[in-house]
Amino acid sequence: MKVKVISVLEDNYMYLVIEESTRDAVAVDAAVPKRLLEIIRKEDVVLRAILTTHHHWDHARGNEELAQLFPGLQVFGADERIGALTHKVTHGQELTFGAIRVRCLFTPCHTSGHMCYFMWEDDSPDAPALFSGDTLFVGGCGQFFEGTAEQMHNNLTQILGSLPKDTKVFCGHECTVRNLKFALKVEPENEMVKEKLAWARQRDDEDLPTVPSTLQEEFLYNPFLRVTEEPVQRFTGRTDPVEVLRALRSERDNFKKPKERPNPQAMLAFDWGLFGPFLEKK
C-alpha cells in the first residue's frame, strides 16, 4: 500500500492510495481532478473508487467530473450532500480494494456527516493509515461547524484515539505550524511541541508536507488529545475533559492569524521604483 500525498488548493491535501500488486488505486478527498489525473497517469494506476471524508467543496468538488471520466467509479461517503455519491457508508463498515482493507469511522462534528477512513493490509509490516479529513490534524482538530464538543471529544478519544498507536495520520489540511504555535501557547514548557514546531517550520520553508504524523506522536503535542493533562487544564481553567476541549477550540478559533507575508514580486517592484509614479503626489 503506497500513499501519494498531493497538495492542492491553498492548503488542502488529497491522497491516492495505490495497491502495488494490482496497480489499482483509491483516491481520498478528490478535490482537484486535473492534478489527480496527472498522478494517476504518472503512477500508471487504475482509479477504482473515491473515499470522501465530508461534503465541503475543498474535499468533494472533483467527484462529479471524475465520475464522468470513469464510468462505474464508486464514490463512498456518509453524507447525502457529497457529490456523485454512489455508496453511503456507516460507522464500522469495512470495504476491500484488492489487498487494501478500509474501516469507516464516523466522526460527526466538523460536519454532521464526517467520515474518517482507517486503512491497512493484512500481513503487511507497514503501519496502518488514518485519513482523518477535517477531524484530526497534525497538532490540532477541526472546527465544530455542525457539531458539539461532546462529539469531538468522543471522536478523538474513543474512535480515533483507540486506534493502534503506530497509525500514520494523513489529514485534510496543511496547518501544522499554526496548530503548533497554538499548542506552544497552551503548553509553553512542552519540549515535544517545541521540537515538532521547529521541524514543521523547516518543512514549511522547504515547501514540504508535514503529513503523516503518527497517533502516538499526536498524544505528545496535540492539545486536543491532551485534555486530561494538568498544563492543558490549567490553560483552560477547566478540568472536565469535554469542557477543556470546548475551551481549547474557542481559544484556537480566536488565535491570532499569522501575519501576511509581503508578496515577493511587489517587494521587487518597490525596490526597482516601479511604483514611484503612483506614489508621487500630484
Side-chain angles (χ1 to χ4, degrees):
M1 187 171 83
K2 174 182 176 183
V3 179
K4 295 290 294 182
V5 177
I6 309 167
S7 299
V8 292
L9 305 175
E10 186 177 351
D11 62 9
N12 276 75
Y13 284 124
M14 63 180 180
Y15 301 99
L16 188 67
V17 185
I18 300 168
E19 212 270 28
E20 295 193 85
S21 61
T22 63
R23 306 308 292 170
D24 285 347
V26 178
V28 179
D29 285 351
V32 182
K34 183 181 177 183
R35 184 80 182 102
L36 186 65
L37 291 170
E38 288 172 3
I39 305 294
I40 287 171
R41 282 194 291 267
K42 184 178 176 183
E43 293 289 330
D44 192 23
V45 296
V46 178
L47 183 66
R48 297 296 186 189
I50 297 172
L51 305 178
T52 304
T53 59
H54 60 296
H55 76 281
H56 287 165
W57 72 275
D58 57 328
H59 295 260
R61 72 173 191 171
N63 289 5
E64 285 96 343
E65 183 179 335
L66 289 164
Q68 289 178 344
L69 290 171
F70 298 96
L73 183 69
Q74 300 178 88
V75 179
F76 296 86
D79 194 321
E80 298 288 356
R81 293 173 289 183
I82 292 170
L85 187 71
T86 62
H87 294 72
K88 191 172 181 183
V89 291
T90 56
H91 180 64
Q93 183 175 344
E94 294 200 356
L95 313 170
T96 303
F97 302 98
I100 298 173
R101 305 277 300 279
V102 182
R103 183 178 303 135
C104 303
L105 302 174
F106 189 49
T107 53
C109 182
H110 180 71
T111 66
S112 59
H114 196 291
M115 188 69 77
C116 295
Y117 300 98
F118 178 68
M119 292 193 201
W120 75 98
E121 287 182 330
D122 289 334
D123 305 318
S124 170
D126 296 333
L130 171 68
F131 297 89
S132 57
D134 286 4
T135 293
L136 174 65
F137 294 124
V138 181
C141 77
Q143 291 181 277
F144 305 173
F145 287 138
E146 296 180 1
T148 64
E150 286 82 2
Q151 285 178 315
M152 186 59 83
H153 181 256
N154 185 64
N155 293 340
L156 297 178
T157 59
Q158 302 303 308
I159 298 174
L160 305 185
S162 63
L163 295 172
K165 293 297 181 280
D166 64 341
T167 299
K168 293 179 180 178
V169 179
F170 295 91
C171 57
H173 290 270
E174 178 57 60
C175 47
T176 302
V177 169
R178 195 167 169 218
N179 284 342
L180 292 171
K181 284 181 179 178
F182 175 70
L184 192 61
K185 181 183 177 184
V186 176
E187 291 189 273
E189 304 304 317
N190 186 324
E191 292 300 322
M192 285 301 300
V193 174
K194 294 176 187 177
E195 289 178 21
K196 189 72 175 182
L197 177 55
W199 173 85
R201 280 177 163 146
Q202 181 68 33
R203 300 285 290 184
D204 196 44
D205 287 344
E206 296 173 7
D207 200 25
L208 295 170
T210 60
V211 294
S213 64
T214 68
L215 204 54
Q216 186 167 22
E217 286 179 18
E218 292 298 322
F219 277 101
L220 298 176
Y221 54 66
N222 188 330
F224 296 94
L225 290 175
R226 295 173 56 78
V227 292
T228 60
E229 298 293 327
E230 193 273 334
V232 181
Q233 295 186 348
R234 187 169 66 244
F235 174 81
T236 59
R238 309 281 194 278
T239 55
D240 176 76
V242 172
E243 293 306 318
V244 173
L245 186 66
R246 195 191 318 276
L248 278 177
R249 186 64 257 178
S250 178
E251 289 282 345
R252 178 66 180 85
D253 289 342
N254 296 313
F255 189 58
K256 66 179 185 301
K257 290 186 178 180
K259 291 178 182 176
E260 290 291 328
R261 292 181 180 177
N263 181 290
Q265 286 80 12
M267 294 304 293
L268 279 174
F270 270 113
D271 289 343
W272 293 341
L274 299 181
F275 287 145
F278 303 103
L279 298 174
E280 290 171 1
K281 291 180 180 177
K282 293 181 180 178

